[in-house]
Amino acid sequence: MKKRVKKAVIPAAGFGTRFLPATKAIPKEMLPIVDIPTIQYIIEEAVAAGIEEICLVTNSYKQSIENHFDRSFELEEKLKASGDLEHLRMCEDITDMVNIVSVRQKNPKGLGHAILCAKDFIGDEPFAVLLGDDIVVNKKKGAIHQLMDVYDKTGKSVVGVQTVALENVNKYGIIDPADMVNEKLMKVATFIEKPAIDQAPSQLAILGRYVLTPEIFEKLETQPAGKGHEIQLTDAIDRLAQDEPVYAYEFEGNRYDVGDRKGFLQAQVEFALNRDDTRQAMEEIIENLGYVKDPEFKKEKEEPRKVSE
């Protein structure tokens, strides 16, 4: 009998070097989009899909992630004493959102190794994987929920994909589609981790959402190091696809690559514009700045950028 997907793994052991110096002391997963930590958006997506238990794979300096989802007695007592019930309920809701445990990835051996660290937590159940660098917004049904629906129909592993620009295929795991089941769902022939642009079999990239069967652990345990001398999840999935069908689903939703500075800034602006309590402030900021591109501007200039009249 096919088991329901109830557990999720969120790898959060990376050092976040692209956001130094901020991430020297603050985990990249705790960098806020407006006023909500990035990882909270990821966990909310999982909870909305029906996930009941989550395993965070962290390292020795990521305690603040665990603390964010734990009780804060001193803060809660202060909020009670001041009668700030709105913020008290907010803190309680975060704590009560879902059952969260954490395991340590003691050596930074790659994403595949991080998933392997959660093997005891998962056991012999299918599970979801959500990467914290990708926030996907879909008000009707989140990306991981869409993949869980595919698993419910197929009983097989499925990865979430979207089309990326050709010049960016070397940044992602890329799939080679085999048989199209429908316009969004396909069986996959092979998976390639960060191929050269001229060797990519498609522009369909795996974008941070997976539902995997427990058989993936057998592959991860014997997976040799690949790109970057790390154990790559994409390589293990490719080996799994040689033994049983693995699907890709082109999920619907607006994706923000918050692991990239441009994507992070885009998320800040668009999330603020889509919130009732911050929309007016962001609109005023944009209007008052009135920036236009100045091709003659150089970093060494001390004068401000030109603005429109």
Side-chain angles (χ1 to χ4, degrees):
M1 180 178 177
K2 185 172 71 223
K3 296 182 179 179
R4 185 170 66 88
V5 178
K6 298 183 293 183
K7 296 179 178 180
V9 177
I10 300 180
F15 289 102
T17 53
R18 285 184 290 178
F19 278 90
L20 284 170
T23 49
K24 183 174 182 289
I26 303 170
K28 66 174 182 176
E29 296 83 5
M30 290 300 294
L31 294 176
I33 307 299
V34 186
D35 55 3
I36 297 175
T38 299
I39 197 165
Q40 186 172 325
Y41 287 107
I42 308 300
I43 288 180
E44 287 175 349
E45 179 188 337
V47 172
I51 294 296
E52 299 173 6
E53 296 182 273
I54 292 174
C55 179
L56 300 174
V57 183
T58 65
N59 61 32
S60 59
Y61 83 100
K62 298 286 184 96
Q63 298 97 326
S64 61
I65 301 177
E66 299 164 6
N67 293 341
H68 180 69
F69 295 98
D70 200 355
R71 295 292 304 274
S72 178
F73 294 102
E74 187 174 314
L75 173 60
E76 291 174 18
E77 288 302 316
K78 179 177 175 59
L79 293 173
K80 286 179 185 177
S82 63
D84 190 349
L85 300 182
E86 179 182 355
H87 283 110
L88 175 62
R89 282 193 295 270
M90 180 189 296
C91 291
E92 291 174 340
D93 288 345
I94 292 171
T95 301
D96 298 336
M97 191 182 304
V98 68
N99 181 36
I100 297 177
V101 302
S102 64
V103 298
R104 292 273 177 93
Q105 184 184 22
K106 297 177 182 178
N107 297 304
K109 296 181 180 179
L111 176 59
H113 180 260
I115 301 302
L116 186 57
C117 291
K119 179 183 177 183
D120 289 344
F121 170 79
I122 296 299
D124 62 350
E125 299 181 39
F127 62 102
V129 176
L130 300 92
L131 305 190
D133 284 348
D134 292 296
I135 293 178
V136 182
V137 176
N138 186 316
K139 293 182 179 179
K140 294 181 179 179
K141 183 176 288 189
I144 200 62
H145 198 165
Q146 295 173 47
L147 267 59
M148 288 165 63
D149 286 348
V150 173
Y151 172 81
D152 287 342
K153 294 175 182 177
T154 64
K156 299 298 181 181
S157 296
V158 54
V159 302
V161 298
Q162 284 189 339
T163 300
V164 298
L166 181 61
E167 61 267 24
N168 291 329
V169 294
N170 59 352
K171 300 177 182 178
Y172 302 97
I174 300 296
I175 70 162
D176 182 8
D179 302 320
M180 298 298 298
V181 179
N182 57 47
E183 61 179 4
K184 292 187 175 295
L185 180 64
M186 63 211 79
K187 285 184 180 179
V188 182
T190 57
F191 298 77
I192 305 174
E193 177 65 16
K194 298 179 180 177
I197 292 175
D198 60 352
Q199 296 177 359
S202 76
Q203 291 173 239
L204 289 169
I206 306 170
L207 298 179
R209 299 294 184 272
Y210 312 73
V211 173
L212 301 172
T213 59
E215 285 73 22
I216 191 65
F217 292 118
E218 298 174 12
K219 306 304 180 184
L220 289 171
E221 287 173 329
T222 57
Q223 183 62 47
K227 284 285 178 70
H229 305 291
E230 296 181 333
I231 298 173
Q232 297 291 347
L233 179 60
T234 303
D235 294 342
I237 296 174
D238 183 58
R239 290 174 60 211
L240 180 65
Q242 311 313 310
D243 295 340
E244 61 182 60
V246 176
Y247 293 86
Y249 183 76
E250 194 167 0
F251 62 84
E252 298 179 0
N254 295 325
R255 170 184 169 261
Y256 300 87
D257 181 4
V258 294
D260 171 79
R261 285 193 179 95
K262 181 179 179 181
F264 184 76
L265 293 172
Q266 180 184 358
Q268 298 288 356
V269 173
E270 293 190 18
F271 276 55
L273 288 173
N274 283 306
R275 279 177 47 169
D276 292 339
D277 60 338
T278 55
R279 181 185 304 112
Q280 183 176 348
M282 181 56 75
E283 288 175 342
E284 290 176 356
I285 290 169
I286 293 171
E287 182 179 358
N288 291 337
L289 287 174
Y291 279 124
V292 295
K293 234 180 205 183
D294 178 8
E296 297 181 359
F297 179 82
K298 295 187 181 353
K299 288 183 179 179
E300 59 266 28
K301 287 186 177 181
E302 294 183 354
E303 60 267 33
R305 294 179 185 266
K306 293 180 181 180
V307 298
S308 58
E309 297 295 326

